[in-house]
């Protein structure tokens, strides 16, 4: 079955540690996105990538980093510089700019 | 100010009722998405539309480009429809830089 997988579903980390969230898709989509969701707020764009080896900052990129070495994979690293990292993180992809976006199941990150 | 506004924020209704969720946007968009998020957090795309009306089962989505307004309707609502419904706009340039999301409408359908 084609789709987007994110792992792990729940993640705990100690303050000051970096952590990497996985996002893999087998839909052959060119574009991939990372969004953050906080209670009472809409999803906000962290980073996006239109093509392998290229990515752009979204609205709230500070404290995050990404890589796009393979078309299928778009991992997100939450660094210790991110002041408020506890949130729900969603990965998405689409095949072209005018096409429907597909979402992964999300990773809930809690910083202790 | 959020560029995509939804109303109501919360809605509780009885099973069988006709449900309407509204979405207004203040920026030009090329398409509007309606998404459904269940308690586990996963998001499912319900509709993507740029004009007119779309129907899928008991769900109907409409959009009025001139008025910058879209509605999601649920006919014969059922408890399994309970979820957060989110509208999101794709930019007028195609939205290559992602979607702009509303804050969501939390719908509860009581049996």
């Amino acid at each position: 079955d084609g789709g987007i997988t994110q792992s792990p579903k729940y993640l705990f980390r100690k303050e000051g540690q970096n952590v990497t969230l996985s996002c893999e898709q087998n839909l052959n989509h060119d574009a991939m996105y990372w969004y953050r969701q906080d209670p009472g707020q809409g999803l906000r764009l962290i980073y996006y990538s239109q093509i392998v080896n290229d990515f752009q900052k979204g609205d709230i990129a500070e404290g995050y980093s990404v890589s796009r070495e393979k078309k299928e994979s778009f991992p997100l690293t939450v660094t210790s510089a991110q002041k408020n990292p506890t949130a729900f993180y969603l990965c998405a992809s689409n095949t072209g700019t005018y096409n429907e976006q597909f979402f992964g199941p999300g990773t809930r990150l809690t910083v202790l | 100010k959020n560029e995509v506004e939804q109303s109501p924020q919360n809605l509780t209704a009885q099973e069988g009722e006709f449900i309407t969720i509204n979405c207004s946007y203040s920026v030009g968009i090329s398409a509007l998405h309606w998404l459904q998020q269940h308690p586990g957090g996963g998001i499912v795309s319900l509709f993507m539309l740029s004009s007119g009306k779309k129907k899928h089962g008991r769900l109907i989505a409409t959009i009025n480009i001139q008025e910058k307004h879209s509605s999601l309707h649920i006919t014969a609502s059922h408890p399994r429809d309970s979820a957060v419904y989110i509208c999101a706009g794709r930019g007028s340039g195609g939205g290559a830089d992602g979607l702009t999301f509303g804050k969501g409408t939390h719908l509860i359908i009581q049996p």
Side-chain angles (χ1 to χ4, degrees):
Chain A
D1 287 324
I4 301 175
T5 57
Q6 290 186 244
S7 60
K9 190 172 175 64
Y10 298 96
L11 186 57
F12 298 87
R13 77 151 220 225
K14 291 183 179 178
E15 198 170 335
Q17 290 180 338
N18 291 357
V19 63
T20 297
L21 282 59
S22 165
C23 176
E24 304 278 333
Q25 53 97 0
N26 60 2
L27 300 166
N28 200 33
H29 286 173
D30 291 310
M32 297 186 73
Y33 306 82
W34 273 106
Y35 297 98
R36 169 184 170 135
Q37 187 177 39
D38 294 283
Q41 294 196 44
L43 279 74
R44 292 179 290 168
L45 181 66
I46 305 172
Y47 267 99
Y48 64 99
S49 168
Q50 294 295 308
I51 197 169
V52 173
N53 292 322
D54 186 51
F55 48 83
Q56 305 294 329
K57 291 182 179 180
D59 300 320
I60 55 166
E62 186 175 348
Y64 299 97
S65 66
V66 293
S67 62
R68 187 86 186 276
E69 296 176 3
K70 298 187 298 182
K71 188 175 186 179
E72 304 80 26
S73 179
F74 191 39
L76 173 75
T77 297
V78 185
T79 75
S80 56
Q82 168 48 234
K83 291 181 171 48
N84 188 19
T86 295
F88 186 60
Y89 291 88
L90 281 154
C91 178
S93 71
N94 60 254
T95 187
T97 55
Y98 290 94
N99 293 320
E100 181 182 2
Q101 208 161 95
F102 291 84
F103 290 83
T107 292
R108 192 167 299 279
L109 172 65
T110 302
V111 174
L112 304 172
Chain B
K1 185 183 185 304
N2 202 34
E3 295 172 333
V4 178
E5 299 281 350
Q6 286 185 239
S7 64
Q9 282 188 302
N10 298 283
L11 178 57
T12 300
Q14 295 299 120
E15 184 173 356
E17 285 189 40
F18 181 80
I19 304 298
T20 296
I21 299 170
N22 295 301
C23 177
S24 298
Y25 50 94
S26 57
V27 294
I29 63 169
S30 60
L32 187 124
H33 296 247
W34 280 101
L35 311 166
Q36 181 190 56
Q37 186 173 32
H38 278 281
I43 288 180
V44 174
S45 178
L46 299 174
F47 296 102
M48 184 179 73
L49 65 165
S50 54
S51 65
K53 176 180 172 178
K54 286 189 176 181
K55 184 175 188 292
H56 186 254
R58 295 180 294 106
L59 301 177
I60 303 166
T62 64
I63 189 168
N64 185 318
I65 298 294
Q66 287 75 25
E67 295 185 4
K68 293 189 169 63
H69 182 268
S70 177
S71 293
L72 177 69
H73 305 285
I74 305 175
T75 62
S77 60
H78 190 276
R80 65 174 174 266
D81 296 326
S82 299
V84 176
Y85 292 85
I86 302 169
C87 69
R90 179 175 290 284
S92 53
D97 57 349
L99 303 173
T100 300
F101 295 83
K103 294 183 180 180
T105 294
H106 189 193
L107 175 65
I108 297 173
I109 304 296
Q110 296 177 334

